[in-house]
Amino acid sequence: MINIESRTAKIVRFIFLGIWLIISLFPLYWIVITSLKPAGAVFRYPLQYWPAQFSLENYINIFSKAMFGRFMINSLIVALAAGVIATLISLLASYVLARFEFRNKTAVLMAFLVTQMIPAFIALGPLYLMMVKLKLVDNLLGLMLIYIAVCIPFSTIMLRGFFANIPDALEEAAMIDGCSRIGALFRVVVPVMKPGIIAAFLFNFINCWNELFLSATLMNKDANKTIPTALNGFITTFNIDWGSMSAAAVLTILPTMLMFALASRHIIQGLTAGAIKG
Amino acid sequence: MVQKPLVRRRRPSSLAASSDGVPGEGSGVSRRRTFTARRGFIILAFFLPAALFVGVFTYYPIVSGAQMAFRRWQLSNLIDNPWVGFHNFVTIFTDPSFGTIALNTVIWVVASLVPQFIIGFALALWLRRRFRFRGLYQALVFFPWAISGFLIGILFRWMFNGEFGVINDILIKVGLIDKGIPWLADPTTAMVAVIVANVWYGVTFFAIIILAALQSVPEELFEAAALDGASRTRTLFAVTVPYIATTLALTVLLRVIWILNFPDIIWAMTGGGPANQTHIVTTWMITMTQNGNYGIASALGLIIVAILMVFSAFYLLAIRPNKRQIG
C-alpha cells in the first residue's frame, strides 16, 4: 500500500483487531477454565473467571465414569486409517486428473464437486440400510469405509491444485533418466509435494475426527462410539454435567488444534489456492 | 489490467475453478499425447479406487435415497415399502411445524451470512497491512476453523446456559440486563443464540478467503489509483472490490449452500427445540432419519437439493451481467 495510514486509523484498526481477538478466544478460554474447576465449583455463583482452585477432577471423571478412553481410541483408529487411505487414493486420482487428458474428465471433476454441495447426511438412511445388509453396523470398519468415500473428493481436488504447481518437466526428466511413471511419481513428485500431501491428510483426519451424524447413525453400542457420537449421547440427557462435558470438549479440540497449528499455512494455502487463481 | 482475470473466468468451469482449490486451466497438460494401452491402464488403475469408493458409498446411497422419497420406508417396517407417490412430500408440507421450519431456515442463512461477510471482510482488510505478530494473530483468530461445528455448539450451549451461563453474567455486569435470560428455553432467544454462535464460527472462513483474494490484487493497481489521487475509500470500492468481485460472489454462494447444510450448531445447542421451534430443514431431516422415517427424510433431502439447485442457477445468472459490466 502506498498511502500512509493516519494515526487514528491505526488506533481504530488495532482496537478492532484486539476486540475480535478476545471474542475469538473467549469461548475456548471459558471451556478450558470450566474443565479445570473442581466438579462442585462449576455450578456455583458468582461465576469464577479464574478458578479459586484448579483441579483435574473432571478429567479423571470422564475416564473413570465414562469410557472416554475408549471413545478416543475409536476416533483415533477411524480418523487415522480413513485419513491415510483416503489421502493415498486421492493422490493417485489427483495425479491422473492433473497430468492426463481424457474424455469425460470435466464430468468426473463435476461428479466430485457435486458431492461437496450435497451434504453427506442426505444419504444417512440409505447408508444405514446398506450397512445393515453388509453387517457393518456398529463396526469401525464400516464407518471407515464411508469416511474414506466422504474424504476422497475434496482431497483429490485439493491435491490436484498442488500438482498443478509442479512442472511436469520434473517427471519427464526422471522418466528420461530411466524411471517408470510410477517410479517418477513416488520418487520425484511426492517428495516435492510433501506439504500438500500433509495438508490433505490433516484435512481428512480433522474431518473424520469431528464427524458426528454418520457415526451417530451407525454406532449404537457404547464400545464402538467415536467422541462426537458419545458427546451427542450426553447432551440429550436432561441434566448435563458441564464439568465433565467441558473436559471432554477440551480433549476433543486439543488434537485438531495442534494439527492446525502445525500445518495451518499449508491448509490455508490448499483451501484458498483455487479461490484466487480462478 | 482489471479485466484480464475476470474475462478468463467466464467459462463454464468457473464454479469449479473458484470453489475448492482447482486451478481451472494451466495444469500443465497442453501437449497432446497419443493414446497407448499403457497410458489407458495407468489412468484406469490410478483412478479406479477413488471412483469405486465415491460410487459405492456416496452416489449409490444418494440415488437409492432419491427413490426412497417416493416410498413408505420406515425403520419399523423395512420389508413392506410400497410406492406412495408424493405422499411423503404432502406429509412434509402439511406438517404444522413446516412454516416455522421454512422461515427459520431463511433466517438462519441470511442472519448468519450477512454479519459473517461484513466482519470477515473488515478483518481481512485490517489484516492485509503487515504488522508485527500478524502471523501469530492470524493463527489465533483462525483457530475455530479446526473445531467441529458440533463442539462449537457445545461451547456456546454452555455459555448461553440460563443459570450458570457466562453470557448472562457478562450482560448483567455490563448492566444491559437485570437478570439472566433463559436463552435456549425460549424460541426467539434460542434462534438468536444459535445464530450468534454461527456468526462467530463462520467469520474465519470469509476472512481467510477474502484476505487471500485481497493479496491477489496487483500492487500496481493501488499505485495507479494513488497517482490518480483516489482516496482510500474510493480505492476500495473502485479498484479492490471490482477486482475480487467474482471471488466474493462465488464465496457467498458456497457459504449459502454450506450454511443451509450445516445443522451441527443447532443440533448441539437446542436439538431443534423448544417444541421444534428452532429446527431448520437439515436438523429436521436428521431428526426424521434418527426416528427411522427414511421416506420422509429422503423427501426432505430432495427438497433441499432442489432448492439449492434453483437458487444456485438464479444466483449464477444474476452475477453474470455484473461481470460483463466490469469485464
Side-chain angles (χ1 to χ4, degrees):
Chain A
M1 291 284 281
I2 275 212
N3 42 355
I4 306 300
E5 193 179 23
S6 73
R7 204 180 161 75
T8 26
K10 197 170 183 174
I11 291 170
V12 169
R13 182 161 69 104
F14 279 108
I15 289 175
F16 179 89
L17 288 174
I19 291 174
W20 187 255
L21 183 67
I22 293 169
I23 293 176
S24 313
L25 293 181
F26 186 78
L28 191 72
Y29 169 80
W30 191 242
I31 204 83
V32 171
I33 286 296
T34 307
S35 76
L36 290 171
K37 287 177 183 174
V42 171
F43 298 101
R44 192 178 296 158
Y45 244 94
L47 298 185
Q48 298 170 348
Y49 287 80
W50 187 255
Q53 189 193 349
F54 283 93
S55 155
L56 289 177
E57 199 182 332
N58 293 317
Y59 289 89
I60 295 164
N61 277 346
I62 57 170
F63 284 101
S64 61
K65 289 183 189 161
M67 300 194 292
F68 197 75
R70 186 59 193 255
F71 305 144
M72 277 192 111
I73 291 170
N74 287 343
S75 275
L76 200 66
I77 292 173
V78 176
L80 261 182
V84 168
I85 298 172
T87 309
L88 280 177
I89 293 177
S90 308
L91 182 69
L92 295 178
S94 63
Y95 177 71
V96 168
L97 288 174
R99 289 293 193 257
F100 291 92
E101 284 303 326
F102 53 92
R103 252 190 301 164
N104 300 332
K105 190 167 136 178
T106 324
V108 168
L109 273 173
M110 278 314 286
F112 273 23
L113 273 173
V114 166
T115 62
Q116 301 302 298
M117 307 285 148
I118 301 174
F121 45 76
I122 281 194
L124 270 184
L127 272 174
Y128 179 77
L129 296 177
M130 187 175 170
M131 288 295 147
V132 170
K133 277 186 201 139
L134 295 172
K135 301 218 172 357
L136 286 175
V137 173
D138 250 324
N139 188 323
L140 289 179
L141 177 68
L143 197 59
M144 227 181 265
L145 291 173
I146 297 175
Y147 281 180
I148 292 171
V150 170
C151 287
I152 285 174
F154 186 78
S155 59
T156 302
I157 291 164
M158 187 170 167
L159 284 168
R160 181 173 172 264
F162 280 100
F163 265 117
N165 291 334
I166 297 171
D168 48 356
L170 201 66
E171 297 141 73
E172 275 161 20
M175 275 153 76
I176 290 166
D177 287 347
C179 252
S180 67
R181 183 171 277 280
I182 296 166
L185 170 62
F186 282 98
R187 280 193 216 137
V188 181
V189 184
V190 167
V192 181
M193 282 221 342
K194 223 178 185 174
I197 295 171
I198 292 172
F201 166 73
L202 290 181
F203 196 87
N204 290 339
F205 180 92
I206 291 175
N207 272 345
C208 297
W209 179 268
N210 286 337
E211 202 284 328
L212 165 68
F213 295 111
L214 287 164
S215 160
T217 308
L218 288 167
M219 299 302 181
N220 300 317
K221 292 200 194 85
D222 266 358
N224 296 320
K225 284 181 176 169
T226 56
I227 306 175
T229 306
L231 294 187
N232 185 46
F234 296 146
I235 58 163
T236 43
T237 53
F238 193 69
N239 279 319
I240 302 173
D241 171 7
W242 279 105
S244 302
M245 183 59 98
S246 52
V250 171
L251 288 182
T252 315
I253 293 171
L254 214 57
T256 53
M257 275 198 58
L258 279 178
M259 289 186 158
F260 185 71
L262 289 177
S264 65
R265 201 163 50 89
H266 298 309
I267 294 178
I268 291 173
Q269 191 190 334
L271 281 176
T272 51
I276 51 167
K277 266 184 207 153
Chain B
M1 262 286 181
V2 190
Q3 294 160 3
K4 208 172 149 205
L6 293 168
V7 173
R8 236 203 307 148
R9 279 197 200 119
R10 200 188 293 150
R11 278 173 45 110
S13 66
S14 62
L15 180 65
S18 315
S19 56
D20 284 302
V22 191
E25 294 106 298
S27 47
V29 191
S30 50
R31 260 154 295 160
R32 220 167 231 276
R33 294 203 177 95
T34 48
F35 180 85
T36 61
R38 196 174 154 65
R39 196 176 146 258
F41 174 76
I42 288 180
I43 293 180
L44 205 64
F46 277 29
F47 200 72
L48 201 61
L52 264 180
F53 268 101
V54 176
V56 173
F57 295 107
T58 305
Y59 274 96
Y60 172 73
I62 288 174
V63 172
S64 70
Q67 57 98 19
M68 271 172 136
F70 301 96
R71 288 176 184 277
R72 189 181 72 209
W73 207 310
Q74 283 170 331
L75 192 58
S76 52
N77 185 357
L78 288 176
I79 299 133
D80 182 29
N81 309 307
W83 186 268
V84 292
F86 285 93
H87 185 264
N88 289 329
F89 293 87
V90 174
T91 311
I92 291 169
F93 290 127
T94 52
D95 191 291
S97 316
F98 178 77
T100 315
I101 291 168
L103 183 65
N104 279 350
T105 309
V106 175
I107 294 174
W108 166 250
V109 172
V110 176
S112 303
L113 185 89
V114 174
Q116 281 180 2
F117 183 86
I118 294 171
I119 302 173
F121 200 107
L123 199 58
L125 275 180
W126 271 318
L127 278 175
R128 183 173 51 170
R129 199 185 280 268
R130 272 199 195 80
F131 56 88
R132 234 196 318 173
F133 304 123
R134 186 176 70 165
L136 179 66
Y137 185 93
Q138 280 186 24
L140 287 175
V141 166
F142 288 174
F143 90 89
W145 186 86
I147 304 176
S148 72
F150 176 64
L151 272 160
I152 299 297
I154 289 181
L155 260 59
F156 276 84
R157 182 172 178 160
W158 172 227
M159 293 202 301
F160 274 111
N161 187 295
E163 275 177 279
F164 299 97
V166 68
I167 289 177
N168 273 340
D169 197 56
I170 290 173
L171 289 178
I172 290 173
K173 281 199 172 116
V174 176
L176 284 174
I177 52 174
D178 299 329
K179 58 179 171 56
I181 298 171
W183 290 95
L184 301 176
D186 173 81
T188 314
T189 50
M191 214 51 212
V192 172
V194 293
I195 287 170
V196 166
N198 195 26
V199 169
W200 180 88
Y201 189 41
V203 163
T204 306
F205 181 88
F206 269 115
I208 291 176
I209 297 283
I210 295 173
L211 182 60
L214 286 176
Q215 283 165 346
S216 76
V217 182
E219 203 67 17
E220 304 93 79
L221 287 185
F222 296 120
E223 285 164 21
L227 279 180
D228 288 345
S231 73
R232 183 189 295 251
T233 326
R234 190 159 156 69
T235 311
L236 175 64
F237 286 104
V239 178
T240 314
V241 171
Y243 191 88
I244 62 173
T246 315
T247 304
L248 290 183
L250 287 172
T251 309
V252 166
L253 174 64
L254 279 177
R255 288 306 285 181
V256 168
I257 295 173
W258 201 83
I259 294 174
L260 186 70
N261 286 336
F262 181 57
D264 309 47
I265 283 182
I266 296 181
W267 188 263
M269 286 179 74
T270 67
N276 284 347
Q277 294 296 301
T278 58
H279 265 308
I280 58 167
V281 274
T282 30
T283 54
W284 201 27
M285 186 188 148
I286 290 169
T287 309
M288 287 297 175
T289 309
Q290 303 217 316
N291 295 341
N293 287 322
Y294 294 145
I296 290 179
S298 293
L300 265 173
L302 280 191
I303 294 172
I304 296 170
V305 172
I307 290 173
L308 285 178
M309 276 167 60
V310 171
F311 173 77
S312 306
F314 273 106
Y315 185 87
L316 288 174
L317 275 178
I319 61 174
R320 246 171 61 173
N322 253 336
K323 282 201 234 166
R324 286 229 180 83
Q325 222 174 44
I326 300 159

